[in-house]
C-alpha cells in the first residue's frame, strides 16, 4: 500500500470519529474553508449555487447531506427537506428538462431503521420522486457501502417501475461492478459511475488506486457500448480523456452521456468541458451534516487535503 492509499484509509477512519468532528466543526476557520465544497446549510444557499452553475451552462444534482439515520423523525425531516428543495428549485425555473436534479441516500431516508426500514426508505424515496416528476426533473439514487448495494439496486428496480428516469450509481472499486454495469446498460438507464468513497474490505473491493482506475475503465467501456445513459463521475484528467475517447469509439452523441464533478473541485475544468459542448453536471451537497462528506472528499484525492490545509493556514 502506497502513501496515498494509507492517507485515504486514515481519512475514511476519521470520517467516523465524533471527537475529531467536534474539533473541526468548532474551529473558527472551518466553515469558511468548507464552503468551498459545501455552499451552505439551507435552501437559499444551495439554490443560489445551482443558479450560478446554471448560468455557466452546467447542470447540477443536489444532495441533502446525511446518512445512517436511525431516527424516524430525522428520516422524515430528510424527505421533507427534499420536497421543500424541489419546490424552491421549480419556483426558480431550475428543474425544467432535468437541468437540476437531486441525489438521495436511502440510509438517510430510514433504511437502517429497525423492522421495516427498507419499506420506510422506499416510501420516502417514492414521495420525493413524485415531487421531482411534478417539477420536471428526476432523482439519482446514491450508492453507499457494500453492505447496502443489493438493497439499493432492489429499490432502484422498484422505483424505476413508476419513475423510469431514476438514476443509479455504481462504484468501480467493488469487484462486482462490471457485472452490475452489464445489467444496467439498457435503454433509458441512467448510470453514474464513480470510484467509491467508503472504506471497504479486500474481500469485496480493490484496495489500490491503480486497480480501482483499471476497473473504472473496464466498467466505462461497458456503459459506453451499452444503450443506457452513462454519467462519468471523475475529476481525474486521464479518466475524463478516456471517457471522451470511448464515447467517440461508440459513436455517441454528446447529449447521450454526461460528465460529473463535485462542487468546488476543478471548477474551471468543469466550465471548459461545458463550453466545448459536452454535458457537465455538478454534484452540490448542502446541509449541517457536512463532516463525513468532507472527509470522504479528501480521502478520494490527496490534493484536496492540501487545499483544506492551505485554507486553514490562510485564515489563521
Amino acid at each position: 500500500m502506497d502513501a496515498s492509499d494509507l492517507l485515504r484509509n486514515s481519512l475514511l477512519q476519521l470520517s467516523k470519529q465524533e471527537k475529531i468532528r467536534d474539533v473541526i466543526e468548532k474551529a473558527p476557520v472551518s466553515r469558511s474553508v468548507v464552503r468551498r465544497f459545501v455552499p451552505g446549510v439551507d435552501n437559499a444557499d444551495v439554490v443560489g449555487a445551482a443558479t450560478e452553475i446554471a448560468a455557466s451552462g452546467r447542470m447540477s444534482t443536489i444532495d441533502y447531506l446525511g446518512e445512517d439515520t436511525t431516527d424516524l423523525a430525522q428520516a422524515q425531516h430528510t424527505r421533507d427537506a427534499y420536497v421543500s428543495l424541489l419546490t424552491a428549485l421549480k419556483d426558480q425555473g431550475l428543474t425544467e428538462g432535468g437541468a437540476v436534479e437531486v441525489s438521495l441516500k436511502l440510509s438517510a431516508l430510514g433504511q437502517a431503521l429497525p423492522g421495516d426500514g427498507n419499506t420506510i426508505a422506499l416510501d420516502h424515496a417514492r414521495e420525493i420522486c413524485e415531487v421531482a416528476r411534478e417539477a420536471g426533473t428526476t432523482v439519482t439514487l446514491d450508492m453507499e457501502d457494500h453492505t447496502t448495494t443489493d438493497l439499493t439496486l432492489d429499490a432502484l428496480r422498484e422505483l424505476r417501475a413508476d419513475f423510469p428516469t431514476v438514476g443509479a450509481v455504481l462504484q468501480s472499486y467493488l469487484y462486482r461492478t462490471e457485472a452490475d454495469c452489464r445489467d444496467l446498460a439498457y435503454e433509458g438507464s441512467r448510470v453514474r459511475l464513480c470510484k467509491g468513497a467508503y472504506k471497504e474490505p479486500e474481500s469485496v473491493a480493490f484496495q489500490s488506486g491503480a486497480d480501482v482506475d483499471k476497473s473504472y475503465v473496464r466498467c466505462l467501456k461497458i456503459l459506453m457500448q451499452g444503450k443506457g445513459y452513462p454519467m462519468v463521475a471523475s475529476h481525474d484528467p486521464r479518466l475524463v480523456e478516456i471517457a471522451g475517447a470511448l464515447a467517440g469509439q461508440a459513436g455517441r452523441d454528446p447529449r447521450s452521456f454526461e460528465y460529473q464533478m463535485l462542487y468546488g473541485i476543478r471548477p474551471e475544468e468543469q466550465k471548459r468541458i461545458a463550453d466545448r459542448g459536452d454535458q457537465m453536471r455538478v454534484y452540490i451537497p448542502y446541509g449541517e451534516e457536512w463532516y463525513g462528506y468532507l472527509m470522504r472528499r479528501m480521502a478520494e484525492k490527496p490534493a484536496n487535503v492540501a487545499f483544506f490545509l492551505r485554507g486553514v493556514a490562510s485564515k489563521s
Side-chain angles (χ1 to χ4, degrees):
M1 183 178 291
D2 63 22
S4 63
D5 291 329
L6 285 171
L7 177 60
R8 178 179 184 274
N9 288 337
S10 297
L11 289 166
L12 291 175
Q13 291 284 4
L14 284 177
S15 72
K16 301 294 185 181
Q17 299 296 317
E18 293 298 323
K19 290 183 179 179
I20 302 297
R21 170 183 177 152
D22 289 343
V23 170
I24 292 179
E25 286 188 337
K26 291 174 182 176
V29 301
S30 291
R31 286 291 177 165
S32 61
V33 175
V34 169
R35 285 185 73 89
R36 160 74 184 266
F37 301 98
V38 182
V41 299
D42 57 27
N43 283 354
D45 295 321
V46 74
V47 171
T51 300
E52 181 179 347
I53 285 168
S56 69
R58 292 170 288 167
M59 304 178 293
S60 57
T61 184
I62 300 176
D63 171 24
Y64 181 70
L65 292 169
E67 57 189 61
D68 299 330
T69 297
T70 56
D71 178 74
L72 178 58
Q74 180 59 38
Q76 293 168 335
H77 170 76
T78 298
R79 173 203 59 197
D80 294 344
Y82 275 108
V83 170
S84 173
L85 170 64
L86 284 161
T87 300
L89 291 168
K90 180 183 179 182
D91 289 346
Q92 293 298 313
L94 292 168
T95 53
E96 185 176 350
V100 179
E101 57 144 52
V102 296
S103 289
L104 314 178
K105 286 183 174 61
L106 290 175
S107 76
L109 294 172
Q111 188 180 57
L113 291 169
D116 53 357
N118 283 323
T119 300
I120 291 170
L122 184 58
D123 287 344
H124 287 164
R126 285 187 187 279
E127 293 179 64
I128 297 167
C129 287
E130 185 62 49
V131 175
R133 181 162 62 186
E134 292 172 0
T137 189
T138 190
V139 166
T140 293
L141 208 58
D142 275 343
M143 192 61 77
E144 302 180 68
D145 70 77
H146 81 278
T147 64
T148 63
T149 300
D150 284 326
L151 290 173
T152 302
L153 293 177
D154 288 344
L156 176 76
R157 283 188 284 270
E158 291 208 38
L159 289 171
R160 282 186 172 178
D162 296 317
F163 308 97
T165 61
V166 170
V169 177
L170 297 175
Q171 301 161 314
S172 73
Y173 65 0
L174 296 181
Y175 301 144
R176 62 174 290 167
T177 300
E178 284 186 68
D180 288 332
C181 284
R182 292 189 184 93
D183 290 341
L184 289 173
Y186 56 81
E187 186 74 31
S189 176
R190 299 168 60 247
V191 180
R192 176 194 300 156
L193 181 65
C194 63
K195 292 184 180 182
Y198 294 83
K199 182 172 174 57
E200 300 285 16
E202 189 173 0
S203 59
V204 301
F206 298 106
Q207 300 298 300
S208 77
D211 285 339
V212 173
D213 286 356
K214 291 175 183 176
S215 175
Y216 194 100
V217 174
R218 293 193 300 269
C219 292
L220 194 55
K221 284 181 180 178
I222 294 168
L223 294 176
M224 287 295 186
Q225 291 170 3
K227 296 182 178 180
Y229 180 89
M231 300 183 284
V232 184
S234 178
H235 308 97
D236 186 327
R238 185 173 55 88
L239 292 180
V240 169
E241 183 178 353
I242 289 171
L246 291 174
Q249 291 171 12
R252 281 189 170 269
D253 183 275
R255 310 297 293 181
S256 70
F257 72 101
E258 66 185 47
Y259 298 93
Q260 295 191 354
M261 293 186 184
L262 298 171
Y263 181 83
I265 299 182
R266 304 192 74 202
E268 293 307 315
E269 176 65 6
Q270 294 176 17
K271 293 174 186 176
R272 188 187 71 81
I273 289 173
D275 288 345
R276 75 187 186 195
D278 286 319
Q279 298 192 110
M280 166 56 67
R281 191 179 301 272
V282 183
Y283 187 102
I284 314 176
Y286 80 110
E288 295 283 356
E289 298 294 322
W290 52 265
Y291 174 75
Y293 172 85
L294 179 64
M295 289 297 105
R296 288 196 297 275
R297 296 298 76 77
M298 291 198 290
E300 285 177 334
K301 187 175 177 63
N304 293 342
V305 181
F307 168 81
F308 184 81
L309 295 176
R310 283 198 302 271
V312 170
S314 68
K315 298 292 184 180
S316 298

